[in-house]
Amino acid sequence: MTEGLSELDRELRDVARRVERRIDPGATAMVVAVAVLVLVGAFLLPWIGDERGWDLLVGEGAGYGILPRLFTFAAMIFGVAASGAALATRYWALAWVCAAGCGISTITGVWAVWSRQISVPQGGLGPGVGLVLALLAVVVLAATWARIALRR
């Protein structure tokens, strides 16, 4: 009899451990999904001049500095890939990675917009609508992931 109870206790501890690792984003999962779609759409819009975000990501848009390109990588990795993985797996640790990564992406996005704005008086091209829209989407993702991760 005690062997059956110890097996049941071990099984219940395993279930409790699995539940503790999970998150339930609830209705905010829709906010994350929409923000990811907006971010993907922003990659198709012009970021700097006629260069789209996708062009900067794959390296076709040269000569615009490191900051816009760094933002494209950070936004794609944390905003699209990690957010999709976190929604699919619902792991709490991955929600924290998304919150921190999207926070870092927000900083790099502000730097990217700033770097384009300071070059305009010298004849450079300013930030396009896609860059600004991507920055707004990453800000929404950072706030939403932080709220989801802190909820637990």
Side-chain angles (χ1 to χ4, degrees), residues 7-22 152:
E7 184 178 324
L8 179 63
D9 183 49
R10 187 173 51 251
E11 185 178 330
L12 288 174
R13 274 187 273 136
D14 289 342
V15 168
R17 212 171 306 127
R18 279 183 282 176
V19 168
E20 288 174 356
R21 293 182 194 158
R22 300 286 181 145
R152 208 183 120 217

Side-chain angles (χ1 to χ4, degrees), residues 37-82:
L37 285 175
V38 168
L39 184 57
V40 169
F43 271 91
L44 302 174
L45 295 172
W47 281 35
I48 303 168
D50 290 332
E51 299 291 332
R52 298 172 301 160
W54 180 255
D55 296 334
L56 292 173
L57 183 69
V58 296
E60 291 178 8
Y64 296 116
I66 189 77
L67 294 173
R69 184 141 186 212
L70 180 65
F71 176 59
T72 59
F73 282 111
M76 184 60 76
I77 291 169
F78 295 111
V80 177

